[in-house]
């Protein structure tokens, strides 16, 4: 039986000055007579002859090598392998063997040079819904002002921290979490192992979630205003945290001065055809503003107007650039519903404007991290380099939900086995370069979904399996605030409960697992930079290995009964000894003994 092994990392890929050495391992009988490397020169397919190496990297392994010239061509180096006999051929790609040539975007890919933000893969992110994380004391009087919330048709409600979240007035209910509260909790986050923060919107807006922006250039007084964000930025710099803001550029709020639905004294576009901002929005023939998904309080921005482009991202002091400059010096943007942004009330020329946002950010801060929110397939934007990464719902969150929680993103039933789950996840990442995979934003849940622990229901003992997966699959892990202490909650608003700071309400065992995983990831270059190979996926068990140079990390996820898994002869797993780092499974002679409902991690050093 023929087997092939290649991952787009060392020891299979090595850069030697202006050459990229690419190596393929083969095992089995009836090995090919020739092997060629299908590569590209300025998007044109080229074939490079591969030569067998005289010395075998492992017993029983034949290795073939070729070189890609890095002095020309596009930085994204796409390649696959063509194996030839006298009377036949097969191809080898990230998804295994194929009898026909692979699609261009389903080949191995490395970025050489890699212009993306190098710091991202080293992080553990933490997402904070600001009103519900931590409330600072003392507070300024402006932080607890009552006002009429037009979208809800009532005054906002102020609640004490321990009052339960209810379905009533979800977007109008405030608990008082703020930015100074986050500053006060940085020691807690550091203890957890967090190194980077993603904040839900901070800018002035009437709702608790702040996705209805009223002023893009100032921080909401309820969160402490501009001064509180500046203090948080100074504190995070001092403590070594990165800080990511939420950019809501698809729509504004209807209370923004540009629109001014509620006649608060500006010449806003809503009621004034002569408004200087009228062309920043789209209107139907009867004068109705086009909004986002039927929410009148969220009028769509229309990027047909060059002056709006200048204000949002094009100008030297545009909103995108402003917050990346000193004294704010933010580390990047998460872009809300960015696939829907565009012209004429829709998404026309979307890719043009998303790319423009990214380019403006990079011109201001070359290390800025640009993450798009896409619940669906984000690869169109990533393959065009319009974004550095995406929130990885399609490539991580949803398949993990399907395998461990038996549900999909619409909360419809979905029962998949290990083979289906692994194929799904492998298929998705096959369309991305290795460096893009490492920067994908992986989460078990977010402010827009039910919490993973609630989705599990009676199978809550699977929660540690999800946590281990989050920290070991390619991509940067992000913890949604409170997940680490067992905070539960179904869909919005119940997934936005206040953080339970009383330790009696916290799951200390779960917190310790998050800590352990953050520490392990910090120590392991394979978990941060390594390639990934699924070595077994059947029934209830997924087993994969992360590979970087000489380091190996083997991960086994078993959602079912105690079992044994016999691994085939995998050269990647040929190491002197394994050390169990997490869990209680054992490995001996390629046989894994796995406890029921367990996650086990072994490392070869």
């Amino acid at each position: 039986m023929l087997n092939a092994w290649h991952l787009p990392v060392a020891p299979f890929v090595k850069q030697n000055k202006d050459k990229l050495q690419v190596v393929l391992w083969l095992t089995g009988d009836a090995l090919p007579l020739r092997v060629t490397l299908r590569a590209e020169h300025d998007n044109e397919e080229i074939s490079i002859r591969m030569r067998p190496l005289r010395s075998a990297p492992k017993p029983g392994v034949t290795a073939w090598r070729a070189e890609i010239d890095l002095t020309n061509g596009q930085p994204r180096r796409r390649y696959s392998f063509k194996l030839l006999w006298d009377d036949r051929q097969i191809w080898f790609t990230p998804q295994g063997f194929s009898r026909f040539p692979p699609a261009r975007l389903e080949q191995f890919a490395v970025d050489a040079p890699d212009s993306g933000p190098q710091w991202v893969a080293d992080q553990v992110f933490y997402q904070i819904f600001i009103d519900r994380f931590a409330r600072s004391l003392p507070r300024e009087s402006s932080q607890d002002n009552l006002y009429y919330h037009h979208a809800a048709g009532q005054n906002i409600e102020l609640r004490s921290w321990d009052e339960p979240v209810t379905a009533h007035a979800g977007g109008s209910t405030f608990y008082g979490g703020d930015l100074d509260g986050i500053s006060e909790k940085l020691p807690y986050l550091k203890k957890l192992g967090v190194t980077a923060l993603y904040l839900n919107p901070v800018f002035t807006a009437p709702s608790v979630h702040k996705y209805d922006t009223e002023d893009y250039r100032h921080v909401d007084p309820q969160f402490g205003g501009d001064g509180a964000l500046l203090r948080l930025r100074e504190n995070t710099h001092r403590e070594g945290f990165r800080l990511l803001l939420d950019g809501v550029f698809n729509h504004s709020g209807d209370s923004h001065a540009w629109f001014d639905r509620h006649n608060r004294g500006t010449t806003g576009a809503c009621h004034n055809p002569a408004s200087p901002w009228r062309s920043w929005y789209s209107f139907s023939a009867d004068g109705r503003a086009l909004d986002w998904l039927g929410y009148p309080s969220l009028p769509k921005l229309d990027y047909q107007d060059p002056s709006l482009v200048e204000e949002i991202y094009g100008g030297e002091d545009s909103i995108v650039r402003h917050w990346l400059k000193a004294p704010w010096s933010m580390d990047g943007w998460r872009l809300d519903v960015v696939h829907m942004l565009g012209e004429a009330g829709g998404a026309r020329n979307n890719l043009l404007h998303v790319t423009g946002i990214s380019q403006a950010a990079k011109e201001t801060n070359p290390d800025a991290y640009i993450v798009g929110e896409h619940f669906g397939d984000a690869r169109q934007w990533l393959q065009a380099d319009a974004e550095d990464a995406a929130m990885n719902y399609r490539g991580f969150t949803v398949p993990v939900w399907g395998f461990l929680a038996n549900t999909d993103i619409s909360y419809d039933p979905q029962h998949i086995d290990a083979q289906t789950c692994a194929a799904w996840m492998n298929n998705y990442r096959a369309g991305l370069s290795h460096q893009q995979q490492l920067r994908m934003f992986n989460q078990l849940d977010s402010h827009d979904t039910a919490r993973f622990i609630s989705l599990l229901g009676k199978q809550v003992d699977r929660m540690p399996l999800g946590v281990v997966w989050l920290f070991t699959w390619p991509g940067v892990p992000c913890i949604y605030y409170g997940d680490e202490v067992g905070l539960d909650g179904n869909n919005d608003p119940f997934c936005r409960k206040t953080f339970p700071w009383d330790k009696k309400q916290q799951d200390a065992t779960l917190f310790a697992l998050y800590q352990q995983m953050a520490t392990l990831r910090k120590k392991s270059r394979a978990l941060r930079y390594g390639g990934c190979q699924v070595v077994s996926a059947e029934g209830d068990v997924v087993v994969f290995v992360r590979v970087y140079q000489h380091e190996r990390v083997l991960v086994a996820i078993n959602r079912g009964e105690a079992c044994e898994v016999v691994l085939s002869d995998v050269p990647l797993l040929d190491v002197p000894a394994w050390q169990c780092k997490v869990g209680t499974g054992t490995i001996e002679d390629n046989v894994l003994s796995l406890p029921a409902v367990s996650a086990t991690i072994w490392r070869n050093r």
Side-chain angles (χ1 to χ4, degrees):
M1 179 178 178
L2 182 67
N3 283 305
W5 306 96
H6 176 83
L7 293 171
V9 293
F12 297 97
V13 172
K14 295 181 180 179
Q15 186 169 344
N16 183 12
K17 297 181 180 179
D18 59 356
K19 302 290 184 182
L20 191 70
Q21 296 180 345
V22 179
V23 174
L24 175 69
W25 290 359
L26 295 173
T27 64
D29 302 322
L31 294 173
L33 303 177
R34 292 182 292 132
V35 179
T36 62
L37 181 70
R38 181 272 184 206
E40 294 180 353
H41 176 79
D42 290 338
N43 303 325
E44 176 70 13
E45 291 189 7
I46 59 173
S47 294
I48 303 172
R49 180 182 177 185
M50 302 192 75
R51 300 183 183 278
L53 299 180
R54 293 181 179 178
S55 57
K58 303 282 183 181
V61 176
T62 300
W64 296 71
R65 183 174 69 191
E67 292 182 338
I68 295 175
D69 185 359
L70 298 180
T71 61
N72 54 48
Q74 301 301 304
R76 181 149 302 142
R77 316 291 172 167
R78 303 185 190 277
Y79 60 92
S80 56
F81 303 94
K82 184 179 183 181
L83 283 60
L84 290 154
W85 292 260
D86 284 337
D87 58 349
R88 61 191 176 96
Q89 62 175 257
I90 59 173
W91 292 76
F92 184 66
T93 75
Q95 299 185 78
F97 290 118
S98 171
R99 297 213 172 263
F100 55 86
R104 179 172 181 265
L105 298 180
E106 294 185 357
Q107 306 194 54
F108 295 103
V110 294
D111 294 330
D114 174 24
S115 60
Q118 302 299 307
W119 56 270
V120 172
D122 290 323
Q123 308 307 308
V124 173
F125 271 88
Y126 193 85
Q127 180 190 347
I128 298 178
F129 191 85
I130 301 166
D131 182 69
R132 309 294 165 81
F133 179 62
R135 177 185 174 104
S136 68
L137 292 173
R139 296 167 63 76
E140 297 185 18
S141 59
S142 60
Q143 291 187 258
D144 294 317
N145 280 343
L146 282 172
Y147 57 85
Y148 187 77
H149 187 190
H150 288 87
Q154 65 169 67
N155 287 330
I156 66 165
E157 295 185 6
L158 303 181
R159 294 184 183 174
S160 64
W161 200 255
D162 294 324
E163 285 187 78
V165 171
T166 67
H168 173 67
S172 303
T173 302
F174 289 81
Y175 285 81
D178 55 21
L179 295 168
D180 284 327
I182 298 172
S183 284
E184 292 172 5
K185 298 301 182 182
L186 290 180
Y188 165 83
L189 295 170
K190 206 162 192 177
K191 179 182 177 182
L192 177 59
V194 168
T195 61
L197 306 181
Y198 152 45
L199 306 182
N200 285 113
V202 302
F203 304 122
T204 304
S207 71
V208 69
H209 53 71
K210 308 300 179 193
Y211 284 98
D212 49 346
T213 314
E214 187 173 294
D215 186 343
Y216 287 99
R217 294 187 181 271
H218 291 287
V219 176
D220 199 292
Q222 290 163 302
F223 292 163
D226 294 357
L229 182 61
L230 191 56
R231 289 190 291 274
L232 179 60
R233 176 71 288 198
E234 292 168 349
N235 292 333
T236 51
H237 269 147
R238 184 181 64 252
E239 298 297 331
F241 287 85
R242 300 282 184 162
L243 194 55
L244 194 70
L245 293 183
D246 207 329
V248 188
F249 305 133
N250 169 69
H251 52 265
S252 74
D254 65 355
S255 61
H256 199 295
W258 301 341
F259 196 78
D260 193 22
R261 181 188 299 279
H262 311 297
N263 292 310
R264 298 169 66 182
T266 74
T267 55
C270 183
H271 306 295
N272 299 289
S275 169
W277 303 296
R278 182 77 173 188
S279 57
W280 290 17
Y281 299 90
S282 297
F283 292 84
S284 63
D286 60 1
R288 183 182 60 84
L290 304 186
D291 55 45
W292 180 68
L293 295 183
Y295 292 97
S297 61
L298 303 177
K300 280 270 292 185
L301 291 167
D302 187 348
Y303 285 81
Q304 287 185 107
D305 192 313
S307 61
L308 175 64
V309 171
E310 188 82 356
E311 173 68 15
I312 297 293
Y313 68 84
E316 185 57 35
D317 194 38
S318 64
I319 293 160
V320 167
R321 297 176 191 265
H322 173 80
W323 295 99
L324 299 177
K325 296 178 181 178
W328 311 103
S329 303
M330 297 299 167
D331 292 299
W333 290 99
R334 178 263 195 189
L335 302 177
D336 182 60
V337 291
V338 69
H339 52 286
M340 302 184 75
L341 177 152
E343 302 174 3
R348 193 175 76 189
N349 284 330
N350 172 266
L351 205 54
L352 170 69
H353 296 293
V354 178
T355 302
I357 290 172
S358 290
Q359 289 176 344
K362 303 290 186 180
E363 289 169 5
T364 309
N365 174 6
D367 278 338
Y369 179 41
I370 306 301
V371 184
E373 181 202 21
H374 304 269
F375 274 90
D377 190 342
R379 288 175 293 184
Q380 174 185 350
W381 290 266
L382 298 169
Q383 289 161 349
D385 290 315
E387 304 162 350
D388 292 312
M391 298 182 78
N392 202 12
Y393 289 109
R394 181 63 64 90
F396 177 80
T397 310
V398 184
V400 169
W401 281 15
F403 185 68
L404 295 180
N406 302 321
T407 188
D408 69 4
I409 199 65
S410 301
Y411 310 111
D412 292 324
Q414 183 171 46
H415 296 263
I416 59 175
D417 60 14
Q419 185 176 11
T420 303
C421 182
W424 180 348
M425 297 173 82
N426 280 338
N427 172 268
Y428 192 81
R429 67 189 183 93
L432 305 175
S433 74
H434 175 65
Q435 287 78 7
Q436 287 177 313
Q437 292 179 38
L438 299 182
R439 287 191 275 265
M440 290 296 280
F441 204 77
N442 292 343
Q443 294 181 277
L444 290 173
D445 47 30
S446 75
H447 68 293
D448 284 323
T449 73
R451 289 189 182 258
F452 182 61
I453 199 168
S454 294
L455 292 175
L456 291 171
K458 294 180 180 180
Q459 296 174 311
V460 69
D461 55 349
R462 293 181 178 182
M463 181 70 186
L465 281 61
V467 176
V468 168
W469 217 333
L470 175 67
F471 280 85
T472 54
W473 194 253
V476 57
C478 181
I479 306 164
Y480 182 41
Y481 82 97
D483 276 359
E484 75 277 11
V485 295
L487 189 60
D488 64 359
N490 290 317
N491 209 15
D492 174 24
F494 302 102
C495 58
R496 303 174 182 182
K497 294 180 180 178
T498 55
F499 190 101
W501 289 109
D502 182 351
K503 289 189 177 295
K504 295 177 183 177
Q505 300 177 32
Q506 298 179 5
D507 185 333
T509 302
L510 186 57
F511 179 88
L513 176 61
Y514 273 93
Q515 270 188 317
Q516 182 182 22
M517 292 307 305
T519 299
L520 179 61
R521 193 172 189 277
K522 183 177 181 180
K523 293 179 178 178
S524 171
R525 293 174 67 85
L527 290 181
R528 301 196 313 276
Y529 313 133
C532 180
Q533 180 78 49
V534 175
V535 293
S536 179
E538 187 173 350
D540 292 325
V541 182
V542 176
V543 183
F544 58 92
V545 62
R546 298 294 302 277
V547 176
Y548 189 81
Q549 296 179 345
H550 298 293
E551 184 187 0
R552 304 287 185 271
V553 177
L554 185 65
V555 182
I557 307 290
N558 176 23
R559 71 179 182 187
E561 301 296 325
C563 64
E564 287 190 346
V565 175
V566 180
L567 301 178
S568 59
D569 190 13
V570 180
L572 294 176
L573 305 183
D574 184 12
V575 300
W578 292 102
Q579 297 176 3
C580 186
K581 296 296 184 180
V582 175
T584 59
T586 62
I587 180 171
E588 185 173 353
D589 297 329
N590 278 2
V591 178
L592 307 183
S593 296
L594 305 177
V597 191
S598 65
T600 309
I601 302 176
W602 298 269
R603 191 177 178 210
N604 69 328
R605 54 173 64 185

